[in-house]
Amino acid sequence: MGSTERIRNVAKRVAKWARAGHQMVVVPSAMSGETNRLLGLAKELAPSKQTTDYERELDMLASTGEQASSALLAIALQAEGLQSVSYAGWQVPIRTDSAYTKARIESIDDLRVRADLDAGKVVIVTGFQGADAMGNITTLGRGGSDTSAVAVAAAMKAQECLIYTDVDGVYTTDPRVVPQARRLHTVSFEEMLEMASMGSKVLQIRSVEFAGKYRVPLRVLSSFTPWDIDIDVEARSGTLITFEEDEHMEQAVVSGIAFNRDEAKISVLGVPDKPGIAYQILGAIAQANIDVDVIIQNLSKDGKTDFSFTVNRGDFAKAMDLLRSNVLPSLGAQDVVGDTKICKVSIVGIGMRSHVGIASKMFGVLSEEGINIQMISTSEIKTSVVIDEKYMELAVRALHKAFDLDQPAA
Ligand code: ASP
Ligand code: MG
């Protein structure tokens, strides 16, 4: 929602659904650019401080973006002739833990919202925010209004949760990298989870986890279609994220190619190969609240081995410092080296469960392109490789083609 014109558009769309007989709870996010603008103001006023020093106030601040759009949407709906009321998170209430800037929803009380729905109102619940047990306002992390929407849908036992966004669905890969990428009509919840954690930015990953846990059918669709398109067409548009057993999946072995440029590789070299080294290295990293993703340990030679793993790029410097200052000396390792110019490319598909040779096909495609694989990790439904960042687009395009995901030529 970038402007009052866009808000009016949303109101007309919501009114269309409401007039077709649906009870509607709407969870708006902030007007576009607003969250960044607010966070920028804070930085301007405290240039010498870490944002972690004033997280509580950041949440007070950032949560206002959503609050404004919620009230504006309720006003626009009333102007459309509907009854509508907006609530801040604490008024519902949406109860969260106290982890400012990345709080988790603990419970949502549905009483107030249900009473309004039964009274014929469209209810607006402010996205991205909640309140902890002390009444402090919290936010759910960037992109968190997706999670708010799914959580509210779960609490209300909604028929479906529609996420209107700036893309018209989930694609086989990012169309900016592969113009032939196709929109998927359905994708399984597990695949979506892999794609979201693998860097597809369509939905906040926590919202996908939530949808899976509470079995909320989720549809991603475009907020840019005209508000007055046929409601049945709209109801079938976008991508439906479904549960494996109740769907007609497009029968592809690989459903999508995901990639992630946000990781960095760290290698601890010349570690004495004895029990407990993984624990010593990764335990220290975990204690510093740093997530580790792909891990490999080399064969040992002369009683020494190399141990490598990836972390989020934002945590790279912190992890390197920690290893250099604490872990390296006590471990008796020779050196620790890092590489931020890597990326992770993954093939994802529930069809991989029942087909052999998919991973090796992937390695074959990469080798034909002359791309060296630095690390590999697999799960039942995905295979990921870590490669040099400069080959990312080449790898994604080649894999997209090799696994028959390119759009058929028109
Ligand atoms: N406004 C918040 C953000 O930009 C939440 C959201 O849009 O989902 O991260
Ligand atoms: Mg968003």
Side-chain angles (χ1 to χ4, degrees):
M1 307 203 299
S3 60
T4 47
E5 194 41 47
R6 301 274 311 148
I7 293 176
R8 185 173 293 127
N9 224 277
V10 172
K12 287 186 190 293
R13 193 188 295 280
V14 172
K16 173 179 77 178
W17 284 93
R19 291 197 170 109
H22 295 279
Q23 290 189 322
M24 303 288 291
V25 181
V26 188
V27 180
S29 66
M31 291 172 76
S32 35
E34 181 63 5
T35 310
N36 287 340
R37 188 186 73 83
L38 292 166
L39 296 176
L41 293 176
K43 266 228 150 86
E44 220 179 291
L45 287 171
S48 62
K49 289 215 159 239
Q50 299 281 332
T51 50
T52 42
D53 296 336
Y54 51 86
E55 283 179 318
R56 183 186 179 283
E57 306 314 319
L58 270 187
D59 279 1
M60 277 294 282
L61 176 69
S63 62
T64 62
E66 268 70 10
Q67 202 164 314
S69 46
S70 294
L72 289 170
L73 183 58
I75 292 167
L77 278 163
Q78 291 172 18
E80 287 301 315
L82 278 116
Q83 291 188 66
S84 179
V85 59
S86 68
Y87 292 118
W90 62 268
Q91 292 174 309
V92 174
I94 296 176
R95 187 68 65 216
T96 72
D97 63 18
S98 304
Y100 296 122
T101 75
K102 48 178 179 294
R104 282 182 180 269
I105 295 176
E106 288 175 342
S107 66
I108 297 181
D109 189 338
D110 66 341
L111 272 181
R112 197 165 181 179
V113 175
R114 223 173 270 288
D116 287 324
L117 288 177
D118 290 341
K121 291 179 194 163
V122 173
V123 183
I124 318 292
V125 172
T126 306
F128 183 49
Q129 56 163 264
D132 72 3
M134 305 293 290
N136 296 301
I137 289 177
T138 55
T139 68
L140 309 181
R142 300 308 305 267
S145 56
D146 296 343
T147 301
S148 306
V150 173
V152 168
M156 302 309 298
K157 302 188 175 60
Q159 215 178 321
E160 203 169 284
C161 178
L162 307 174
I163 307 264
Y164 288 87
T165 180
D166 55 358
V167 294
D168 65 353
V170 178
Y171 276 71
T172 49
T173 195
D174 188 335
R176 284 168 301 188
V177 172
V178 184
Q180 296 87 345
R182 277 185 294 119
R183 177 168 60 84
L184 296 161
H185 295 285
T186 61
V187 64
S188 76
F189 155 74
E190 288 168 284
E191 289 169 321
M192 191 63 217
L193 200 56
E194 292 285 6
M195 293 193 207
S197 62
M198 223 60 73
S200 153
K201 299 261 154 56
V202 178
L203 288 172
Q204 195 198 35
I205 178 158
R206 222 178 255 177
S207 73
V208 184
E209 288 167 1
F210 225 101
K213 188 162 167 204
Y214 295 97
R215 301 190 72 81
V216 180
L218 200 59
R219 185 180 294 276
V220 176
L221 63 174
S222 170
S223 59
F224 290 105
T225 54
W227 68 267
D228 56 352
I229 62 168
D230 184 84
I231 198 166
D232 295 320
V233 172
E234 186 167 326
R236 285 193 308 270
S237 67
T239 301
L240 181 65
I241 299 156
T242 60
F243 299 91
E244 220 177 307
E245 59 269 32
D246 52 42
E247 72 188 56
H248 325 279
M249 292 289 299
E250 287 141 280
Q251 287 304 318
V253 177
V254 170
S255 303
I257 315 290
F259 54 86
N260 184 346
R261 279 181 262 227
D262 298 337
E263 290 186 24
K265 184 172 82 168
I266 296 177
S267 301
V268 187
L269 306 178
V271 190
D273 192 8
K274 56 176 197 233
I277 58 166
Y279 176 65
Q280 272 194 61
I281 296 171
L282 298 181
I285 297 287
Q287 255 181 15
N289 231 327
I290 297 172
D291 268 338
V292 169
D293 185 25
V294 185
I295 304 168
I296 55 168
Q297 184 182 331
N298 288 348
L299 270 183
S300 69
K301 207 174 138 222
D302 307 326
K304 303 246 177 194
T305 186
D306 301 333
F307 190 91
S308 303
F309 56 95
T310 63
V311 296
N312 208 290
R313 244 177 240 191
D315 290 327
F316 175 71
K318 191 170 158 198
M320 287 293 281
D321 275 355
L322 184 77
L323 290 170
R324 286 218 174 94
S325 58
N326 297 341
V327 184
L328 211 59
S330 66
L331 206 61
Q334 274 151 7
D335 200 4
V336 46
V337 294
D339 185 358
T340 55
K341 296 202 163 33
I342 54 140
C343 74
K344 194 172 69 172
V345 176
S346 311
I347 57 174
V348 177
I350 49 175
M352 290 169 73
R353 270 195 198 126
S354 46
H355 288 75
V356 293
I358 304 303
S360 64
K361 176 169 172 180
M362 178 188 200
F363 306 148
V365 171
L366 296 174
S367 115
E368 245 162 64
E369 299 293 339
I371 300 170
N372 185 39
I373 300 171
Q374 304 178 12
M375 302 168 101
I376 300 171
S377 90
T378 65
S379 81
E380 262 197 302
I381 64 162
K382 70 129 211 264
T383 301
S384 304
V385 296
V386 172
I387 60 174
D388 188 322
E389 182 183 56
K390 68 173 180 260
Y391 298 124
M392 190 201 80
E393 302 204 342
L394 177 63
V396 173
R397 283 197 199 109
L399 292 167
H400 198 266
K401 186 157 201 278
F403 285 103
D404 294 325
L405 296 172
D406 280 4
Q407 216 162 32

